[in-house]
Amino acid sequence: MFFFTSTAVDPPATIYMGKDKYENEELIKTAHPTDLWFHVDDLSSAHVYFRVTDNDDSLELIKSMQGPNFKVSKDLPITPEEMPEALLKDLYQLVKHHSIEGSKRQTVSIVYTPTFNLKKTAGMDPGQVGFHQQSLVKKVTGIARDPPNLKRLLKTKKEEELQALITMNDERQRESRKRLKKLADERRNETNRAIKDKKERAELESYSSLFAEVPKVSNRNQPIDEDDFM
């Protein structure tokens, strides 16, 4: 597989893609669910991925979101609408360049979506995909070649084994689980403190009301028994 670095944003962004349709097939299964997948629309092309790194703890919320009835988490780390335009342009250039037919055309259309939205069904060829939810697929048209930016990107190209991505994702998930555990511990402590405070307030209110309800005894207007003074 190939890695590229986009310096159009700060910090630089990691982009990766498969070398052929068989590696594309592996990436469908290996890519992080929240990474964004890019492809030339209606033409053969490389599967290009943007590696999302911001606030990806929501992975644990997304893991089970498979099948046609899954719902989109409101806590996605990044959505297509939030992508910096400069980074999108870099991704478009790589996708167009790595399409045999698309690279020859003056302009192409490109589609992109979160990786967890990719759908494989029986009978599909290696590297071929569909989508669980069409509403999550974004399409841009009129993408033309941009030689200066493409040249900049191609200079950053590095070839790695698929295991490199697997290792990156394993480390990513370990860090995510640590943050999730810390967050869960903090929430549990906050809940315990709230329960304790509520209990203490209830006990204080009960104690105060106990004294408020004790009737005061007065000897005023009471008959005097002379025997009391003997």
Side-chain angles (χ1 to χ4, degrees):
M1 62 182 297
F2 299 113
F3 283 89
F4 302 85
T5 301
S6 171
T7 55
V9 290
D10 186 23
T14 298
I15 300 169
Y16 59 94
M17 57 175 273
K19 291 187 294 186
D20 53 38
K21 64 181 181 180
Y22 300 105
E23 199 159 73
N24 287 340
E25 184 71 17
E26 290 302 314
L27 286 179
I28 294 169
K29 297 178 286 187
T30 306
H32 195 280
T34 59
D35 286 352
L36 296 182
W37 171 93
F38 291 73
H39 197 277
V40 174
D41 190 34
D42 293 330
L43 292 176
S44 175
S45 81
H47 291 210
V48 177
Y49 294 80
F50 162 56
R51 186 171 184 267
V52 178
T53 57
D54 293 337
N55 301 322
D56 60 8
D57 294 341
S58 56
L59 166 64
E60 302 302 322
L61 304 176
I62 295 169
K63 276 183 175 179
S64 62
M65 292 161 46
Q66 302 296 323
N69 298 318
F70 80 100
K71 301 298 182 182
V72 180
S73 169
K74 295 180 180 179
D75 301 316
L76 283 176
I78 190 167
T79 64
E81 293 83 359
E82 297 171 332
M83 287 282 288
E85 187 63 28
L87 177 56
L88 283 172
K89 288 180 179 179
D90 277 3
L91 286 153
Y92 299 158
Q93 288 303 305
L94 285 175
V95 177
K96 184 180 188 305
H97 179 71
H98 290 95
S99 169
I100 295 175
E101 180 63 29
S103 62
K104 299 174 184 177
R105 297 190 182 185
Q106 186 173 359
T107 63
V108 296
S109 296
I110 291 174
V111 292
Y112 59 105
T113 191
T115 300
F116 67 81
N117 193 38
L118 300 181
K119 178 182 179 181
K120 290 289 294 187
T121 57
M124 281 186 170
D125 293 333
Q128 186 178 7
V129 298
F131 307 110
H132 290 293
Q133 202 166 317
Q134 192 64 38
S135 62
L136 290 178
V137 181
K138 305 300 177 183
K139 180 177 178 179
V140 291
T141 59
I143 301 302
R145 191 168 181 267
D146 182 355
N149 281 335
L150 179 59
K151 183 178 180 180
R152 167 176 55 81
L153 285 164
L154 293 178
K155 284 183 177 180
T156 70
K157 182 178 179 179
K158 294 191 305 180
E159 185 172 358
E160 299 277 0
E161 295 297 326
L162 185 63
Q163 184 59 43
L165 181 64
I166 295 173
T167 300
M168 291 167 67
N169 286 341
D170 286 346
E171 178 61 27
R172 184 176 179 173
Q173 290 183 31
R174 281 194 294 271
E175 291 300 318
S176 178
R177 284 193 291 269
K178 287 180 183 177
R179 289 192 295 271
L180 285 169
K181 183 179 184 303
K182 181 179 178 181
L183 180 61
D185 290 342
E186 290 174 351
R187 288 178 176 173
R188 183 168 56 252
N189 291 337
E190 288 177 2
T191 299
N192 290 339
R193 283 195 297 269
I195 293 173
K196 181 180 178 181
D197 290 345
K198 183 178 180 180
K199 182 179 179 181
E200 289 177 349
R201 286 195 301 270
E203 290 176 348
L204 182 60
E205 291 172 359
S206 175
Y207 184 75
S208 299
S209 63
L210 176 64
F211 283 92
E213 294 172 1
V214 173
K216 294 182 179 180
V217 178
S218 172
N219 290 327
R220 183 179 299 176
N221 299 324
Q222 294 291 329
I224 298 177
D225 189 341
E226 293 181 356
D227 289 341
D228 291 339
F229 295 92
M230 295 181 64

